[in-house]
Amino acid sequence: MLAEIPEENVIDRLGLESRLEEARSLIASVPEEVIVNKARLTFRGPPVVGSHGIVADFAAVAAGSFAKAVTAVAASISDNLRDKGPIPNRQENQLLITGTAIGSFGFEFELPNPDNNEIFPVRSKAEDALQKIKELFRLAANGTDDEVAELIDEIHPRAVKNAAEFLEYLAENGAWCGVEFKDEYFRFSNIDQLRFSADRLKEDNIDERDESYRGEFQGVLPKGRAFEFKKSGDKNIIKGKVGVKIDDADVLNRKFLHQAVNAEFHVIQFGKGQPRYTLESLDNISA
Amino acid sequence: MIPEWNMAGVLPPVSPGLPGAHPNRSPYETDLDHVIDQFATSPDRIKMLKGLLDFRLELSKVGITKGFQWLDESFLENVEDLESRSPRDIDVVTFYYLPEGETQQSLLIKQPALFQSSNTKD
């Protein structure tokens, strides 16, 4: 515009030059990197009218149920989630609806950002939670029981229950969904696949128990946190992992290696998959 | 005639109730009396409008008496409701006829501060 204004039109130029300077100043003041993570949740089925709209009742409950599942999974990642009571840190892990998502119909969510003033900013728990939920849906639809068990082992059963409740609500309404995050997405193919997945994630398909054994720890990988435990009088080896409450997994090598002990493990078994063993606390080891 | 703010707290693009192609649309043609009647609703807004009047007075002193102005920015929005604050400024674009016998250069020499937005904003 400035290039097209004759030099003698000094007032016209002055006005535009002033606005150009203001625009440059505004651009310069924007932080270099403002990454806002967004996720999209879209729905198909009877409550959805193409990419035109969605039944309000359904959308309100479904969006709320999904957001609840995210906060529950985020809390479980922080190891704060208990079997009952309010979901901890719910406000910090709240999703923000920032728009609608097209391609059927749904919502665009903004995730809470980590504190950008931190020297080493960490990824928000909500981001991890969303990845896990997307993966949980994918594995519930297509994965083996062992693959699902491995993921469920990382998430508190209550959080899995919240995710399952979301799917059950969709199933009740004949709807299915897709989740997109960080340029990757998973979408249920149809209502049958969603119902199949919802059934798989039901509480009665997840067996959670504590089991005690006498035996000897054969070793622990300090970084990988995987252990082997040989049961007394049995050539079978229990392979499991050291839970997050034990800061230094290597303590098992230092204090308990090849010593006869009683150990209690938390066991999760999904469907017909292999049981997964976790040593949750050093208090669960006794002589 | 300027319509009322819509639910989004801004002036609607077309006067309510009229078809989308109707000429009664933004920017709404009006006079200063109506602008004052509609928007002088708080001490902060009154102060800004006085500033606008002062600016127009200075323009008339250098002979600029024919033309029109576009008004925009938070002054034209219901920021008191939307953001619980007073408007910060009025954005003004002035379209004017050069006074008889003047050029842009001669005007600028007469009153350089009048044409610097950094001065007139204050």
Side-chain angles (χ1 to χ4, degrees):
Chain A
M1 282 171 73
L2 271 169
E4 289 169 11
I5 298 176
E7 290 290 336
E8 61 269 22
N9 290 14
V10 290
I11 293 175
D12 295 346
R13 295 186 65 83
L14 206 53
L16 278 177
E17 279 162 1
S18 163
R19 285 175 188 275
L20 179 59
E21 190 50 46
E22 199 178 319
R24 282 185 175 143
S25 172
L26 199 59
I27 289 167
S29 69
V30 173
E32 265 189 30
E33 197 176 321
V34 178
I35 296 174
V36 176
N37 286 317
K38 293 206 180 219
R40 285 172 194 80
L41 174 67
T42 54
F43 302 96
R44 289 175 197 264
V48 183
V49 180
S51 51
H52 172 69
I54 190 167
V55 173
D57 281 350
F58 168 81
V61 175
S65 180
F66 182 77
K68 187 177 173 186
V70 170
T71 55
V73 172
S76 76
I77 291 168
S78 309
D79 201 34
N80 288 338
L81 194 60
R82 301 287 171 260
D83 291 336
K84 286 188 169 70
I87 296 175
N89 306 322
R90 194 163 178 169
Q91 288 307 315
E92 290 167 23
N93 296 314
Q94 280 286 359
L95 300 179
L96 196 67
I97 295 179
T98 53
T100 55
I102 55 170
S104 65
F105 202 94
F107 298 103
E108 182 181 81
F109 296 100
E110 189 175 292
L111 275 65
N113 259 346
D115 183 356
N116 288 324
N117 292 323
E118 289 287 326
I119 294 174
F120 301 109
V122 296
R123 228 162 59 159
S124 74
K125 293 286 185 285
E127 192 177 318
D128 286 339
L130 209 40
Q131 292 281 35
K132 288 203 186 300
I133 284 179
K134 183 162 59 73
E135 189 62 4
L136 182 64
F137 289 170
R138 187 184 71 79
L139 290 175
N142 299 319
T144 63
D145 283 352
D146 285 332
E147 285 171 330
V148 178
E150 187 172 343
L151 186 56
I152 286 176
D153 203 14
E154 298 173 24
I155 309 172
H156 193 283
R158 182 179 168 188
V160 177
K161 185 180 167 194
N162 287 145
E165 282 171 353
F166 165 72
L167 292 182
E168 280 162 25
Y169 180 73
L170 264 57
E172 282 166 19
N173 287 272
W176 60 103
C177 70
V179 179
E180 182 186 343
F181 183 55
K182 287 195 166 180
D183 297 326
E184 291 177 356
Y185 72 91
F186 171 73
R187 187 168 59 219
F188 290 99
S189 308
N190 48 47
I191 184 61
D192 292 328
Q193 190 182 50
L194 181 126
R195 286 198 173 114
F196 170 76
S197 306
D199 279 342
R200 280 186 91 190
L201 292 181
K202 278 193 168 133
E203 262 183 303
D204 53 15
N205 204 29
I206 302 173
D207 184 28
E208 203 183 355
R209 59 191 185 268
D210 293 319
E211 292 179 0
S212 294
Y213 297 95
R214 184 147 182 93
E216 295 176 9
F217 283 99
Q218 303 299 292
V220 172
L221 296 175
K223 294 292 182 200
R225 303 177 70 86
F227 69 78
E228 288 188 356
F229 182 86
K230 185 172 179 301
K231 294 189 282 185
S232 296
D234 190 334
K235 55 185 176 183
N236 289 325
I237 302 281
I238 289 177
K239 293 181 182 180
K241 71 172 204 270
V242 179
V244 295
K245 286 183 187 142
I246 301 172
D247 285 333
D248 178 18
D250 196 36
V251 69
L252 290 178
N253 290 329
R254 293 196 306 271
K255 290 178 87 171
F256 300 106
L257 195 65
H258 298 308
Q259 292 182 32
V261 295
N262 294 314
E264 184 182 270
F265 303 114
H266 188 66
V267 184
I268 286 182
Q269 191 165 13
F270 179 78
K272 295 184 173 62
Q274 292 294 316
R276 301 190 62 81
Y277 299 86
T278 303
L279 179 71
E280 297 206 313
S281 167
L282 293 178
D283 294 339
N284 294 351
I285 303 173
S286 57
Chain B
M1 167 71 180
I2 311 170
E4 299 290 326
W5 287 312
N6 60 18
M7 197 174 76
V10 297
L11 297 177
V14 182
S15 195
L18 296 177
H22 201 278
N24 190 358
R25 62 196 299 117
S26 176
Y28 295 96
E29 194 172 322
T30 187
D31 54 39
L32 211 46
D33 287 349
H34 282 106
V35 172
I36 292 169
D37 281 344
Q38 189 151 342
F39 295 105
T41 53
S42 73
D44 285 342
R45 285 178 172 273
I46 289 170
K47 190 177 167 188
M48 282 179 202
L49 281 166
K50 280 184 176 170
L52 174 62
L53 290 176
D54 289 342
F55 175 60
R56 287 166 69 103
L57 179 62
E58 294 303 314
L59 286 175
S60 68
K61 282 179 184 174
V62 296
I64 296 175
T65 55
K66 283 165 92 176
F68 62 92
Q69 289 175 314
W70 284 345
L71 305 183
D72 199 359
E73 272 302 335
S74 56
F75 187 82
L76 276 292
E77 297 175 13
N78 191 359
V79 285
E80 285 87 347
D81 248 8
L82 291 173
E83 297 176 32
S84 302
R85 62 169 176 88
S86 290
R88 294 199 180 103
D89 49 22
I90 310 177
D91 212 15
V92 182
V93 179
T94 304
F95 296 84
Y96 62 93
Y97 288 93
L98 276 173
E100 195 74 39
E102 297 276 12
T103 64
Q104 290 199 27
Q105 284 152 330
S106 65
L107 266 184
L108 187 61
I109 289 168
K110 268 187 186 169
Q111 263 287 21
L114 185 59
F115 301 101
Q116 302 266 12
S117 64
S118 51
N119 290 330
T120 55
K121 243 182 173 8
D122 296 332

